[in-house]
Amino acid sequence: MEQNNEKEVHYPALRQYDNQDFDRFERSKNKKQHNIMMLVGNGFDIAVLNHLGSKYATDYKSFFYYLKSIKFNNGNILFRKMNELRIRDEQAKYESKRFPNWSDFELILEGFVSTPTSDYALKGRLEKDLKEIQYEFSNFLNFVVSPDLLGGLDEKSSKFKWRYRTYSNFVADLDKEEYKKFRFSSERVDDHYHVFNFNVINFNYTALLDNYLHLDREQFDPHPYGTVDTNFIFRRNPRNYENYDSGKYPDSETGCSGYLVSDIYHPHGIQQIPRSLLFGIDGSALDRMQTSMWSSFFAPQFEKIFWAQTSLRYEKAISETELFIIFGSSRGETDRWWWKHILLAIFLGGAELIIYQYCQDVPSLHDLKEVKKLIRERFINENFDSDLTGINLSEVFEEICDRIFVVIYSDASTISAFGFCGNCFSPYDKDPAGIEDVR
């Protein structure tokens, strides 16, 4: 029998640009395409609504009280459980007896799925009741995110160039010590004509983030120059931190003249299409319960990554990403599939990760280092999958830790990425950080 010696061709998930797209982007001259994935959770929506003075938020607790206000179906098994846990939380005499996540109906759903019972009709009731909540959640979002509110965000984002600041200036959010270890911005000052390819994963159902990051003509010109086709300035060292060779490496007055491309994805659905909203449990939870006949009976009906085709649509893209940025997300059970694959990309591909963490009161410098250390360690310990990587965590823990950076902030006007700075951003400023350093 003849042997087939042809090599299998592996096609990239992310589009590969070349000099047919951008004149001066020549891979043969060591120009790079930097794939950056930003993963944004409900913390962003809550911050936007708060910044715009909204009386409402998009969190589960607000949704519960919205359901109460419209006299929602008390027979709904998920709603009934939310109310039961709320009462138990309010009546708890000890902290250990409280239920702080009583309004998280996805967590409640996971509890039903993972608990064996002889009531096999429960699956059908859960499907029906989850669908009822799904459609009402869309109405809730339409109530909270009004056209007037979107108009206010539209005006501010364009006026202050928040989208350009987010993409161009996020390195300003790192502190001096972390910047020294951050490899992403370590190219020489004369190294231009790179492609910065941003892939934004919007875990939210609203279009608030899409609005915030929209490429409008006030802050983005696809062809601003007459002699070169670059359209973007990326700031490698906007806070003018010292580095090991200031004569050859960037300071606050230099940047990379390059090319910007971006796309936004809604893996869990979007508000304007009610039936697209995905609620359920993460596939990792089912993996841990797969020996149970009961959980197998439920799978994959309530598994979000199954219905979103997450592995097919995003797994390879994650492996091709150079830098990840997580903002406004709890980084917990609900989206664990994403976190464990990001850690795999850090381990196998040498990628880096920036985690943004809001703190109402920023700790002292000594405590700040400890808080950052704990955030890194917790993210790794809770999400590293030895079965996925084929290696014991203890062997690579420090190596992964060194590639994770943490930004702690208490005021969104003091950060560049997804912030609300009141100064109009210009990448040509002598001090492009351009924000008050109160972090």
Side-chain angles (χ1 to χ4, degrees):
M1 189 165 70
E2 285 187 22
Q3 283 188 319
N4 185 358
N5 294 323
E6 290 185 13
K7 290 184 178 180
E8 185 178 355
V9 179
H10 294 274
Y11 295 99
L14 300 175
R15 178 177 171 181
Q16 301 298 297
Y17 295 91
D18 56 33
N19 59 358
Q20 293 185 356
D21 302 297
F22 304 113
D23 293 345
R24 303 207 180 187
F25 179 58
E26 300 181 62
R27 294 179 183 270
S28 61
K29 294 184 178 179
N30 245 0
K31 303 308 174 187
K32 300 177 184 175
Q33 176 173 323
H34 301 285
N35 295 323
I36 304 155
M37 183 175 286
M38 296 174 149
L39 303 99
V40 184
N42 193 44
F44 174 81
D45 277 14
I46 292 171
V48 168
L49 293 169
N50 183 58
H51 178 77
L52 295 174
S54 173
K55 293 186 289 185
Y56 309 102
T58 55
D59 59 293
Y60 287 149
K61 189 176 292 187
S62 298
F63 176 54
F64 171 81
Y65 286 113
Y66 167 82
L67 293 177
K68 293 277 282 186
S69 72
I70 64 168
K71 298 182 173 18
F72 186 67
N73 174 20
N74 281 316
N76 186 292
I77 190 171
L78 296 170
F79 177 67
R80 193 168 66 236
K81 190 67 175 179
M82 291 163 72
N83 198 39
E84 174 192 323
L85 294 178
R86 175 187 65 84
I87 294 170
R88 291 169 64 184
D89 180 69
E90 291 175 353
Q91 294 178 347
K93 295 181 179 179
Y94 304 102
E95 192 67 26
S96 60
K97 300 293 185 180
R98 296 195 60 200
F99 293 89
N101 295 322
W102 59 263
S103 59
D104 188 342
F105 59 85
E106 289 187 294
L107 201 59
I108 291 171
L109 176 66
E110 183 180 320
F112 280 117
V113 172
S114 60
T115 305
T117 175
S118 58
D119 183 6
Y120 284 91
L122 178 62
K123 178 182 178 182
R125 291 209 307 276
L126 282 173
E127 288 179 16
K128 173 180 171 293
D129 289 356
L130 184 62
K131 189 172 184 179
E132 187 179 21
I133 281 182
Q134 173 192 40
Y135 274 84
E136 206 53 66
F137 200 88
S138 177
N139 291 332
F140 164 66
L141 293 177
N142 290 333
F143 168 72
V144 175
V145 185
S146 66
D148 286 346
L149 189 139
L150 282 172
L153 176 59
D154 199 77
E155 180 182 349
K156 282 194 165 189
S157 180
S158 180
K159 178 181 178 180
F160 298 120
K161 297 179 170 54
W162 288 337
R163 193 253 1 147
Y164 205 123
R165 184 188 291 277
T166 293
Y167 288 158
S168 172
N169 211 55
F170 64 80
V171 178
D173 296 334
L174 298 176
D175 66 28
K176 184 183 296 186
E177 293 305 311
E178 295 200 321
Y179 177 80
K180 289 178 182 178
K181 299 187 296 180
F182 190 55
R183 295 176 301 169
F184 183 82
S185 59
S186 62
E187 272 86 357
R188 298 161 60 98
V189 296
D190 57 354
D191 199 16
H192 299 290
Y193 313 125
H194 292 245
V195 170
F196 294 85
N197 179 33
F198 289 86
N199 294 282
V200 181
I201 307 299
N202 188 355
F203 289 132
N204 302 316
Y205 307 108
T206 73
L208 290 169
L209 179 64
D210 308 59
N211 184 311
Y212 181 98
L213 292 177
H214 181 66
L215 294 168
D216 64 87
R217 64 176 63 190
E218 296 299 322
Q219 55 183 321
F220 180 74
D221 184 341
H223 207 310
Y225 311 113
T227 56
V228 64
D229 67 333
T230 56
N231 60 16
F232 180 59
I233 300 291
F234 178 74
R235 288 295 178 179
R236 298 192 184 278
N237 186 10
R239 290 203 180 272
N240 206 22
Y241 290 141
E242 293 180 7
N243 49 55
Y244 51 88
D245 189 347
S246 59
K248 294 183 179 178
Y249 288 84
D251 59 21
S252 63
E253 295 187 24
T254 60
C256 172
S257 178
Y259 305 95
L260 171 67
V261 287
S262 65
D263 286 293
I264 301 178
Y265 304 90
H266 283 262
H268 297 161
I270 191 164
Q271 161 186 356
Q272 288 78 9
I273 308 174
R275 68 182 185 279
S276 74
L277 305 191
L278 284 177
F279 297 109
I281 64 176
D282 178 71
S284 303
L286 283 180
D287 289 344
R288 291 192 296 277
M289 301 183 295
Q290 61 186 355
T291 56
S292 163
M293 183 181 298
W294 172 250
S295 60
S296 299
F297 170 69
F298 268 76
Q301 187 62 42
F302 300 106
E303 186 181 349
K304 282 195 294 187
I305 63 171
F306 173 80
W307 294 106
Q309 300 184 77
T310 307
S311 296
L312 176 65
R313 297 175 63 195
Y314 303 107
E315 187 171 343
K316 191 187 285 188
I318 289 174
S319 70
E320 296 168 8
T321 295
E322 179 181 352
L323 174 65
F324 299 93
I325 297 175
I326 300 175
F327 187 94
S329 177
S330 62
R331 308 179 297 278
E333 183 73 52
T334 308
D335 296 302
R336 183 152 290 161
W337 182 94
W338 294 87
W339 314 142
K340 68 182 186 180
H341 281 86
I342 286 173
L343 286 172
L344 180 65
I346 294 173
F347 165 62
L348 290 180
E352 294 178 299
L353 164 65
I354 301 175
I355 296 174
Y356 282 77
Q357 178 64 55
Y358 172 80
C359 287
Q360 192 167 2
D361 297 306
V362 175
S364 65
L365 185 60
H366 176 269
D367 292 337
L368 186 63
K369 290 182 179 180
E370 189 62 27
V371 170
K372 289 184 176 185
K373 180 173 177 286
L374 289 173
I375 290 173
R376 281 193 292 267
E377 290 178 351
R378 182 177 180 182
F379 182 77
I380 297 170
N381 287 326
E382 291 186 354
N383 298 299
F384 186 85
D385 190 336
S386 294
D387 293 333
L388 194 64
T389 60
I391 196 166
N392 191 285
L393 174 57
S394 61
E395 298 177 40
V396 293
F397 183 85
E398 292 301 328
E399 180 184 343
I400 294 175
C401 231
D402 286 342
R403 295 177 189 164
I404 298 178
F405 308 89
V406 179
V407 175
I408 304 286
Y409 69 99
S410 62
D411 181 352
S413 69
T414 65
I415 54 175
S416 285
F418 308 108
F420 309 119
C421 180
N423 298 325
C424 184
F425 178 72
S426 171
Y428 308 105
D429 286 346
K430 293 294 183 182
D431 177 16
I435 53 181
E436 186 182 359
D437 192 5
V438 299
R439 292 180 293 110

